[in-house]
Amino acid sequence: MDDSGRGAGSDAGSRRKDARRNRQTLLEAAATVFVASGVEAPVRDIAAEAGVGMGTIYRHFPTRADLVIAVYRHQVDACAEAGPVLLAAGPTPHAALGRWVDHFVDFLVTKHGLASALQNDNAGFETLHAYFLDRLVPVCAQLLAAATAAGEIRTDLDALHLMHGIGNLCIGADTDPHYDARRLVALLIAGLRQPC
Amino acid sequence: MDDSGRGAGSDAGSRRKDARRNRQTLLEAAATVFVASGVEAPVRDIAAEAGVGMGTIYRHFPTRADLVIAVYRHQVDACAEAGPVLLAAGPTPHAALGRWVDHFVDFLVTKHGLASALQNDNAGFETLHAYFLDRLVPVCAQLLAAATAAGEIRTDLDALHLMHGIGNLCIGADTDPHYDARRLVALLIAGLRQPC
DNA sequence: TGCAAAGCGGAACGCTGTTCCGTATTGTTA
DNA sequence: TAACAATACGGAACAGCGTTCCGCTTTGCA
């Protein structure tokens, strides 16, 4: 095993305030740039978006792959935490589901880029995919259950299959600019509605 | 359509002798380097192997992808032409099949690298894959038929499935140096033998 | 045999990811 | 509060890649 701490970033609990803040800023800037320009975006672009020097980025994430992995985990966590929040905030569970799926779609861009970031590391990819499932399937299931309990949606689709379908709809979204994955996903969610 | 002449090389029928010779030299050198170092090998290495300058390589193949494609087609052609020759030369059809498959395995390295060379061009990839099937399936079928007629091998495997199986055995051969695809493929061919 | 046209070699360019180091910021200690 | 290590920062510099450019050589034809 040579990938100790892979994907965790080196200094998640640093003593210095600016270091902690920069790490957070970088994760968010990278996520933004990945969605806007794809996961192949140059490291310099991410540093610029974050308003930070190259040294800073490499201090926090020793390698480009480390950054992609850290963004991925960060997005998984953010997406998982967003579920209950949206559910509490939204007018209805179905609306909350719709907005949660928007987060999910943005984040899939990063996930699809993982494959190229971890070209030879199938084991690492499997680990991260497992983390993805462990954290997000329950959240999605919770949203589905709430919408079901409210009588808003049909009940013949479980969280795993829904997420799988959304994931498939997003394949190729980064290469073909005419392909609007979000619209198709929105249709899919609309189609979940219980016919009344 | 923006890929006019993609994969054909620019000057296959040049007026000048040295140009034609260099083109051939380059195709062979590239094939050698791809087998030795993988398809990600730097263009400079191929120029060095061919004993040629950078300008020459880019005169013949305007882009790295063009070179990979040209090598691919060249290998498909060479492999297709080798079939009948080996069949005529070898002691038995089964031996000829074994040696043909050796060619085929070397050439698969290039084929697997095509995917990364043509990252976004799925249409181009499909075209080249169709060319691959059109030219090689009949040759493989001819070798199988000859071996069958000679009573050397079992008859329950057609050319397409055999080639598919060999292709699958070679997946990952370029990343894991401990994985010896050729040995496994040899076992597969040995297994074709008719139990006597 | 001369000479334009075609082709060649390899230095130079622009773009990557990554490293390095002088400078600025921070938390701690007197 | 003032001084001072320790820590982190910025961005220039480096190495390796694909690609371009241009002075020189080779070729085939008149």
Side-chain angles (χ1 to χ4, degrees), chain B residues 14 16 22 44 53-56 59:
Chain B
S14 166
R16 277 176 59 162
N22 269 327
R44 280 166 179 77
M54 298 295 298
T56 302
R59 167 171 303 279

Side-chain angles (χ1 to χ4, degrees), chain A residues 49-73:
Chain A
E49 169 78 26
V52 138
M54 298 296 299
T56 302
I57 227 173
Y58 276 91
R59 167 169 304 278
H60 287 286
F61 310 101
T63 257
R64 197 184 187 292
D66 291 322
L67 174 60
V68 175
I69 291 167
V71 170
Y72 175 77
R73 298 187 69 117

Side-chain angles (χ1 to χ4, degrees), chain B residues 71-168:
Chain B
V71 170
Y72 175 75
R73 298 186 68 118
H74 185 247
Q75 302 257 80
V76 171
D77 292 341
C79 208
E81 285 158 19
V85 173
L86 290 171
L87 196 52
T92 73
H94 182 265
L97 177 65
R99 255 167 309 123
W100 183 77
V101 161
D102 276 350
H103 285 236
F104 184 68
V105 167
D106 273 354
F107 144 72
L108 281 175
V109 176
T110 306
K111 179 162 169 57
H112 287 151
L114 263 187
S116 43
L118 297 169
Q119 283 202 309
N120 303 331
D121 188 357
N122 279 323
F125 186 81
E126 292 299 328
T127 303
L128 288 165
H129 183 62
Y131 182 67
F132 165 85
L133 291 179
D134 285 353
R135 294 230 44 187
L136 295 184
V137 169
V139 173
C140 185
Q142 187 190 352
L143 286 158
L144 282 176
T148 300
E152 290 186 304
I153 63 168
R154 56 203 310 165
T155 59
D156 53 352
L157 192 65
D158 63 24
L160 190 60
H161 289 137
L162 175 60
M163 286 168 59
H164 197 133
I166 294 172
N168 283 351

Side-chain angles (χ1 to χ4, degrees), chain A residues 151-195:
Chain A
E152 289 185 303
I153 61 169
R154 58 204 308 165
T155 58
D156 53 354
L157 191 66
D158 63 24
L160 190 58
H161 290 137
L162 176 60
M163 286 168 58
H164 196 132
I166 294 173
N168 283 350
L169 280 178
C170 293
I171 290 173
D174 46 344
T175 56
D176 181 355
H178 300 307
Y179 182 78
D180 187 352
R182 299 183 73 122
R183 185 171 300 273
L184 289 170
V185 171
L187 285 174
L188 188 69
I189 300 304
L192 270 179
R193 265 230 140 86
Q194 188 79 266

Side-chain angles (χ1 to χ4, degrees), chain A residues 1 16 26 41 46 75 97 106-107 110 116 130 146 150 163 174 195:
Chain A
M1 291 294 164
R16 277 176 59 162
L26 274 171
I46 295 162
Q75 301 257 78
L97 178 63
D106 273 353
F107 145 72
T110 305
S116 44
M163 286 168 58
D174 46 344

